[in-house]
Amino acid sequence: MTTRFCFFNLSLVLISLVFLRSASADLVADTCKEISQSGGVTLPYDFCVAALNADPGSQAADLAGLGVISLKLSKANATYVRSYIDQLLAGKKYDEEALKTCAEEYDNALDNIEMATLYINRKDYNGANIQVSAAFDVPQDCEDTFKERPDLQSPLTKEDDVCTQLFKIALNITKKLSGR
């Protein structure tokens, strides 16, 4: 009798895990579909799904969990771009003033992302959305810095584009969490 009871409970747990994993995969797919069809910056659906699924925690995450994951991805990428800017500055091949402006912008974005993560963890989704909104403009602002002078070409275009896409994921998730 106890063996039958244990088997029954184990079966229920396994079925629940399969359901949760399926529901979570559906949440990633549904979220990415919604984001890729929203206006503004174009975000390929496959990029969104691959980015969120790169974190193993996405398999069991709710929407707030996906928000934290998207912020973690955004932070990692912005940190990479900020480090790359330092490398470019050391090489003295590109305009120092424009690169320093971009470095400052990315420092601000990293602060915004850190604050957004704290807000999500406190369930203050509106506060998180405001912080991500501020970070979202940084890659384009960096590109615009180079466009101010016709003789300059940005060495960060590819990096800024990826950052913009990751920030768009975070922005749309925090917007949805905040009810906007």
Side-chain angles (χ1 to χ4, degrees), residues 143-160:
E143 286 299 306
D144 290 345
T145 299
F146 284 93
K147 291 177 183 173
E148 288 175 2
R149 289 193 12 220
D151 60 320
L152 293 182
Q153 184 173 0
S154 173
L156 298 167
T157 301
K158 289 180 185 175
E159 290 78 8
D160 286 335

Side-chain angles (χ1 to χ4, degrees), residues 121-158:
N121 289 332
R122 293 180 189 156
K123 298 186 183 343
D124 179 355
Y125 303 126
N126 191 48
N129 185 254
I130 290 167
Q131 294 296 319
V132 177
S133 293
F136 181 77
D137 293 330
V138 166
Q140 187 58 54
D141 290 347
C142 179
E143 286 299 306
D144 290 345
T145 299
F146 284 93
K147 291 177 183 173
E148 288 175 2
R149 289 193 12 220
D151 60 320
L152 293 182
Q153 184 173 0
S154 173
L156 298 167
T157 301
K158 289 180 185 175

Side-chain angles (χ1 to χ4, degrees), residues 72-135:
K72 188 169 31 168
L73 295 168
S74 295
K75 181 180 179 181
N77 192 262
T79 301
Y80 163 76
V81 174
R82 181 60 183 86
S83 175
Y84 185 56
I85 292 169
D86 285 340
Q87 290 175 17
L88 294 173
L89 281 166
K92 299 187 186 276
K93 185 177 175 184
Y94 297 97
D95 185 79
E96 185 176 345
E97 185 180 329
L99 286 172
K100 284 184 176 181
T101 299
C102 289
E104 187 177 312
E105 292 282 345
Y106 272 97
D107 286 340
N108 292 336
L110 287 165
D111 290 342
N112 293 127
I113 292 167
E114 197 67 40
M115 289 301 300
T117 303
L118 290 173
Y119 282 128
I120 283 185
N121 289 332
R122 293 180 189 156
K123 298 186 183 343
D124 179 355
Y125 303 126
N126 191 48
N129 185 254
I130 290 167
Q131 294 296 319
V132 177
S133 293

Side-chain angles (χ1 to χ4, degrees), residues 43 47-48 51-52 69-78 132 136 160-172:
L43 178 72
F47 176 89
C48 179
L52 291 175
I69 289 168
S70 70
L71 289 169
K72 188 169 31 168
L73 295 168
S74 295
K75 181 180 179 181
N77 192 262
V132 177
F136 181 77
D160 286 335
D161 287 346
V162 172
C163 238
T164 296
Q165 291 181 351
L166 290 171
F167 288 178
K168 181 174 182 174
I169 295 169
L171 181 63
N172 278 272

Side-chain angles (χ1 to χ4, degrees), residues 40-51:
V41 176
T42 302
L43 178 72
Y45 170 81
D46 292 338
F47 176 89
C48 179
V49 170

